[in-house]
Amino acid sequence: MNTTAPWMPAGTVYGTLLNFRREHALWAPRMNEAPYKAPPNAPVLYVKTANTFTPAGQAIALPAGAPVEVAASVGLVMSDDGEWGAVLFNDVAIAHQSYYRPPVKTRCVDGFLGVGPTCVPLAQLGGLAGLAELQIELHINGVHRQTTLLAEMLRDAATLLADVNEFMTLRAGDVLMLGSDCLADGTRPLVHAGDTVEITAPGFAPTRHNFVKEGTA
């Protein structure tokens, strides 16, 4: 597995929604409403297309007129030899209301996935079980805005991976992001042009991206 910087995904990147207990609890009262009328039984996934990938250190352009959320996540990188890895991601999205079917246009804007600089061998992090010990810090312009505890996941890494494999095959090079947590009020941190976001976690090199106006990246 290539661990040299700058690392970039070689396959499809999948994100996971509602995989942290706090956000799941906040949305629970709405899960029985139409059109679904029941909580999801399987993981709720979405795709981050290749046009969204932004290498570490490069700028992310923001479209005018829309609030933009940032979210810290860890992705599992699939391998055909069993030597999986993990990468930090900054999952960027235009703020939206739907949680079962987030519109593609809110998540797959050009550049809207900040990719960490390195893929860390999973063995160095204590395997899948070791990921539960991780704490991810998100800073905007050097100010701490959020701490994400992977121990608060609804499905831990091993369970999420097994549940996803029940209905789809993840291939070598694909990435499964474990999800991101919300703030106490159910929102995610917002960024504007001129902001710098840094995401850190023990064992990983920092993931840093500047945000600029569209047309200046």
Side-chain angles (χ1 to χ4, degrees), residues 38-174:
N41 293 318
V44 182
L45 303 182
Y46 57 94
V47 174
K48 298 294 283 197
T49 48
N51 66 296
T52 66
F53 303 165
T54 300
Q58 292 192 12
I60 296 175
L62 300 184
V68 177
E69 303 172 332
V70 292
S73 187
V74 171
L76 295 178
V77 182
M78 303 297 110
S79 172
D80 55 11
D81 59 9
E83 295 182 9
W84 295 343
V87 178
L88 286 181
F89 288 96
N90 183 358
D91 190 1
V92 185
I94 297 172
H96 58 280
Q97 295 299 316
S98 174
Y99 67 100
Y100 275 113
R101 294 182 179 178
V104 170
K105 65 181 181 180
T106 69
R107 291 192 174 271
C108 292
V109 178
D110 289 350
F112 267 29
L113 184 66
V115 180
T118 57
C119 179
V120 179
L122 202 57
Q124 294 184 17
L125 302 170
L128 289 175
L131 293 178
E133 303 300 320
L134 281 181
Q135 297 188 21
I136 310 173
E137 303 284 340
L138 187 150
H139 291 77
I140 300 177
N141 302 327
V143 178
H144 175 259
R145 293 295 306 277
Q146 186 178 25
T147 297
T148 299
L149 306 177
L150 266 62
E152 295 297 319
M153 290 190 296
L154 196 66
R155 289 178 170 91
D156 63 19
T159 301
L160 177 64
L161 187 60
D163 287 351
V164 169
N165 279 324
E166 285 290 321
F167 61 86
M168 62 182 284
T169 300
L170 295 170
R171 300 181 178 181
D174 288 347

